[in-house]
Amino acid sequence: MKLARLLEEAGVSAPCSPDREVRELCYDSRKATSESAFVALCGTAADGHTFVQSAYDKGCRAFVVQHPVDLPRDTDVIQVPDTRAALATLSACLFHHPARRVKTIGITGTKGKTSVAHLLHHILEQTGHKSGLVGTTGIRFGDVVRKTVNTTPESYELQKALEDMDKAGCEYACVEVSSQGLMAHRVDGLPFEIGIFTNLSPDHIGPGEHGSFEEYMGWKATLFERCRVGMLNRDDPHFEDMVKNATCVIRTFGMTNKADYWADDVQLLREPGFLGVGFTCHTPVGSFPIRLPQPGRFSVYNALAAIGAGCELGIPLPDMAAALADAVIPGRIQLIPALPYCTIVVDYAHNELSLRSILTTLREYHPRRLVCLFGSVGGRTQLRRQTLAHAAAELADFSILTSDNPDFEDPVAILQDIEQGMGAAKGRFISIPDRGDAIRYAVDLAKPGDMILLAGKGHEDYQLIRGKRVPFCERDVVMEAAQQRLKREKGGE
């Protein structure tokens, strides 16, 4: 596309060379080419304006900047008030506004974004509606799987993903929308068909993130100024704050008939090879029993959000119930059917809030013993590690401390920080630095009626060690260890 036309479509008034072609946008100077326009983003860790010369040296001659830069005269330099906002608008125009053709559902909230996105995506796919998924587990549509750095990718990657989904014939896209994604203009220019709010609690508050809980909540709430229909958790204490500036049609879900979509007769279900919930779902078009292979009362909320969105999209309730009966969310309270006499669960819980939540949930199923295997990633504070330890000490019967993405930090030093917290809280534990060895120990430790939680890695299939992603799939380690144990037990009969 001609740069002049791209700027005109984006509403940017600036002189430029009439024949300049732009085929892509980039904000990493290492990816700059003669066919790209370099957008200098101002980040918390680095300022893209310091890399304009590097982009020039790679052949780039079109630049979008926020403040003046010194470049040779053979360049087109377009100065805008905010380069992040400009990147979003330019990306939408470059890819011909794919969200106008692919109906986009945005999911925001402190917890549950990934679960709701996967549940809704599963419903859509199982009911004959081809759809894509963007979030923590990557970009997914058809057989395509791409990793993402952020829960909500930068606007260029997001718009490109939507264009690729459009070309692949997708009708819908389920997109996790983080508060930082909203604040950083990553979803600007996206006309959301439905916006979903799961819940809200303090998170992402601090240097480089949000200055206060009010700011964090305020950015979350802006999703409901960008969508046609808002589907919100009526039971969340911040519901009124989330809707006070909303410009969309409001629909609600919850546990009472004050909500449009609500549940009662909730049952916690634990059977061989199954851990989940059952409930009756009530909607404006009727009621239906739901059986979901996701444990915990909060899973009922996640299912209600997905069902509510599905109903607003015209999907019959019985069809959604059939789809939810076999829905699996990668790394989110994911059951590993490895041993017939105990329950082994993988979950992404990696901070105190999420670890307390999952341990409390599993406690409700009355395990004989609740064993928690966890660690802490490198580069975190000692306080964070001790609060993780306190959660495990209070809620688990026994803990196995191990490695979790130590990166450049010594895994043993990380464990020492956690051990201090375990000791202060009088928790029972053992430390095994190698995560594979720790998992094998946990499998051998299991007794009938036990529940074992492997926390921290979730969907990840690697360990981050000294800056490198080393392949590691703990589900494979569990299955191998369980097979060896069952073989030994059979041989001993």
Side-chain angles (χ1 to χ4, degrees):
M1 182 183 289
K2 296 290 186 185
L3 176 60
R5 181 184 168 192
L6 178 61
L7 294 175
E8 181 183 1
E9 288 191 13
V12 177
S13 178
C16 66
S17 304
D19 296 326
R20 179 85 67 200
E21 283 280 349
V22 171
R23 297 187 183 277
E24 60 185 11
L25 305 174
C26 71
Y27 49 90
D28 182 340
S29 62
R30 294 168 295 185
K31 298 179 181 179
T33 69
S34 59
E35 296 183 327
S36 64
F38 179 75
V39 184
L41 301 182
C42 298
T44 56
D47 184 349
H49 294 77
T50 62
F51 300 101
V52 293
Q53 185 62 49
S54 174
Y56 179 88
D57 292 342
K58 290 185 177 296
C60 184
R61 293 297 181 266
F63 296 83
V64 180
V65 300
Q66 200 163 308
H67 53 73
V69 292
D70 184 17
L71 284 168
R73 297 184 64 181
D74 62 337
T75 58
D76 285 312
V77 179
I78 296 92
Q79 189 167 341
V80 296
D82 189 319
T83 48
R84 287 190 176 276
L87 178 64
T89 305
L90 292 167
S91 297
C93 293
L94 184 66
F95 294 116
H96 308 293
H97 302 278
R100 293 177 181 175
R101 298 176 296 281
V102 179
K103 291 184 178 179
T104 305
I105 299 96
I107 303 101
T108 198
T110 304
K111 295 182 293 185
K113 292 189 297 296
T114 300
S115 295
V116 173
H118 274 270
L119 290 176
L120 182 55
H121 175 257
H122 184 73
I123 286 172
L124 291 167
E125 287 281 312
Q126 293 300 305
T127 55
H129 301 277
K130 193 169 184 179
S131 65
L133 182 69
V134 179
T136 307
T137 60
I139 295 169
R140 299 166 178 262
F141 59 96
D143 296 327
V144 176
V145 179
R146 301 177 193 154
K147 294 186 182 298
T148 52
V149 176
N150 302 308
T151 296
T152 307
E154 287 291 353
S155 54
Y156 181 79
E157 277 69 35
L158 181 53
Q159 293 286 350
K160 184 179 189 307
L162 291 172
E163 185 204 36
D164 292 341
M165 290 176 192
D166 181 36
K167 290 180 177 178
C170 290
E171 294 179 64
Y172 299 100
C174 303
V175 179
E176 294 183 50
V177 182
S178 67
S179 59
Q180 291 152 308
L182 287 157
M183 182 174 68
H185 301 284
R186 295 175 196 159
V187 297
D188 282 14
L190 283 184
F192 289 99
E193 178 70 10
I194 297 176
I196 298 174
F197 166 65
T198 59
N199 52 65
L200 199 66
S201 55
D203 198 13
H204 298 294
I205 299 169
E209 296 185 288
H210 298 289
S212 66
F213 176 73
E214 288 70 27
E215 179 187 303
Y216 171 63
M217 179 170 61
W219 278 111
K220 291 280 191 190
T222 63
L223 177 61
F224 303 100
E225 301 171 35
R226 304 165 184 255
C227 59
R228 185 183 68 81
V229 176
M231 181 67 59
L232 296 97
N233 181 349
R234 184 69 180 80
D235 298 343
D236 190 88
H238 302 287
F239 168 75
E240 296 295 344
D241 292 310
M242 296 298 292
V243 300
K244 66 181 179 182
N245 294 320
T247 57
C248 59
V249 175
I250 300 296
R251 299 283 187 266
T252 60
F253 62 91
M255 292 293 189
T256 73
N257 59 9
K258 292 181 181 179
D260 299 302
Y261 300 89
W262 59 284
D264 64 3
D265 192 27
V266 176
Q267 302 173 51
L268 303 181
L269 306 175
R270 184 185 183 189
E271 303 162 6
F274 183 89
L275 192 67
V277 292
F279 61 95
T280 300
C281 177
H282 303 279
T283 79
V285 295
S287 303
F288 211 85
I290 303 292
R291 179 181 167 95
L292 181 71
Q294 295 291 312
R297 297 181 189 279
F298 62 83
S299 294
V300 178
Y301 280 99
N302 294 338
L304 286 172
I307 291 168
C311 280
E312 294 296 324
L313 295 173
I315 301 173
L317 185 56
D319 294 351
M320 288 193 283
L324 289 172
D326 63 357
V328 175
I329 304 169
R332 297 306 192 275
I333 326 182
Q334 186 176 355
L335 183 68
I336 304 178
L339 294 173
Y341 43 75
C342 82
T343 302
I344 302 176
V345 175
V346 171
D347 193 77
Y348 189 53
H350 57 283
N351 57 34
E352 181 193 11
L353 180 67
S354 56
L355 188 61
R356 282 188 179 278
S357 177
I358 180 61
L359 288 172
T360 300
T361 293
L362 295 179
R363 272 281 175 215
E364 293 180 331
Y365 287 82
H366 306 294
R368 177 184 175 275
R369 287 187 308 173
L370 181 54
V371 178
C372 181
L373 182 150
F374 74 103
S376 181
V377 299
R380 297 298 189 268
T381 65
Q382 185 182 43
L383 177 61
R384 175 166 176 164
R385 292 165 184 170
Q386 293 191 357
T387 57
L388 276 167
H390 293 163
E394 292 171 23
L395 294 166
D397 297 303
F398 185 73
S399 295
I400 302 169
L401 314 185
T402 190
S403 180
D404 181 351
N405 293 346
D407 203 2
F408 289 100
E409 198 169 352
D410 180 2
V412 174
I414 295 174
L415 289 183
Q416 288 172 347
D417 286 344
I418 303 174
E419 287 168 359
Q420 288 182 27
M422 293 296 296
K426 297 182 170 55
R428 296 181 60 243
F429 68 94
I430 186 172
S431 293
I432 304 175
D434 182 274
R435 195 172 182 96
D437 290 343
I439 292 172
R440 286 183 278 272
Y441 177 85
V443 171
D444 288 341
L445 182 71
K447 294 181 180 180
D450 285 355
M451 279 191 180
I452 299 174
L453 169 65
L454 311 183
K457 297 296 294 174
H459 63 280
E460 293 178 351
D461 56 2
Y462 63 88
Q463 279 195 296
L464 187 61
I465 300 174
R466 301 198 66 78
K468 295 183 178 180
R469 292 190 173 195
V470 179
F472 181 85
C473 179
E474 59 185 4
R475 292 175 293 282
D476 291 345
V477 178
V478 168
M479 294 303 295
E480 181 181 353
Q483 289 171 5
Q484 291 176 356
R485 174 171 175 170
L486 292 171
K487 186 177 180 179
R488 291 195 304 270
E489 291 173 349
K490 185 177 181 180
E493 291 178 353

